[in-house]
Amino acid sequence: MIAILLMTDTFRGNTTVSRWRDLVWLAWLAVPLYWLHQLEEYSLPVIGLNYSLPDMVCKNFGFEPYPACPIPLPFYPLVNIALMWFGAPLAAYLSRRNILIGLSYWGLLLANGLLHTAGGIAQGAYNTGLWTAAILFVPLSLWVIYACAIRGPYNGKVVGVAFAAGALTHVLLFIGYGLFKSGVIGSTGLLVYAAVIGFTPIILAALAIRFFKPELLRPDEHHYRRDR
């Protein structure tokens, strides 16, 4: 998909500007970026490196490593597949009609990137997912804000709310772990929660739409400012 993004116009919304300033293209870019992040998070043990995301999550919430950890292992693929194999592509598809929904998963990437980066700095050590988070998520998220709102044609409040929807989703994900640990929800409830989290950026963005004029939410090639 990265090759298609970089070498074709398949995922372009406006070919009159650089793809790096094309909101629809940027919305689609979030999808393979997170796939790379997932690859880093889950494949390191396969190549012999002793970094396990599930064990790290269990440790952060005061549980023993697997197999003693009570968090059901299907939770991890379920939440990631829901988020970035279904939710994010749907948001990118909808970006042609609604920029608030289209950019909502970038807030998730930025929050994730800052969390990994801050953790690495605080601990002075690698945490699984750090490389893609620090090198890709943070700088590219800031670029999207710059290209779309600061030097772009879109309302800064709309872009800010889109990012907030994704960032709040990241917070809600951790709340799910807390609800499980406190016994409010069980294993089945956590799995259902994971499936819902996958579409939460879209849900939150859809709730926020009512507070903006429709014309502020539509990508419109006539609103693009040329590169300066």
Side-chain angles (χ1 to χ4, degrees), residues 35-89:
W35 291 350
L36 290 174
H37 184 64
Q38 291 172 344
L39 182 64
E40 180 189 353
E41 287 187 321
Y42 292 98
S43 68
L44 295 182
V46 176
I47 61 176
L49 297 178
N50 187 28
Y51 296 108
S52 170
L53 177 67
D55 283 344
M56 184 181 74
V57 170
C58 291
K59 178 182 177 181
N60 289 342
F61 283 90
F63 297 129
E64 294 295 322
Y66 286 98
C69 181
I71 298 174
L73 279 173
F75 173 83
Y76 304 100
L78 180 57
V79 71
N80 281 289
I81 290 171
L83 277 169
M84 289 301 164
W85 292 80
F86 289 97

Side-chain angles (χ1 to χ4, degrees), residues 155-208:
N155 183 287
K157 291 182 180 180
V158 173
V159 175
V161 170
F163 270 71
L168 181 56
T169 298
H170 206 279
V171 173
L172 292 173
L173 175 60
F174 282 91
I175 289 176
Y177 289 124
L179 293 174
F180 176 77
K181 183 176 181 179
S182 63
V184 175
I185 58 176
S187 295
T188 302
L190 186 62
L191 295 178
V192 173
Y193 192 88
V196 174
I197 280 292
F199 299 91
T200 299
I202 295 176
I203 295 170
L204 294 176
L207 291 174

Side-chain angles (χ1 to χ4, degrees), residues 106 110 132-144:
W106 275 103
L110 180 58
T132 46
I135 296 173
L136 296 176
F137 282 12
V138 174
L140 288 176
S141 296
L142 295 178
W143 170 258
V144 171

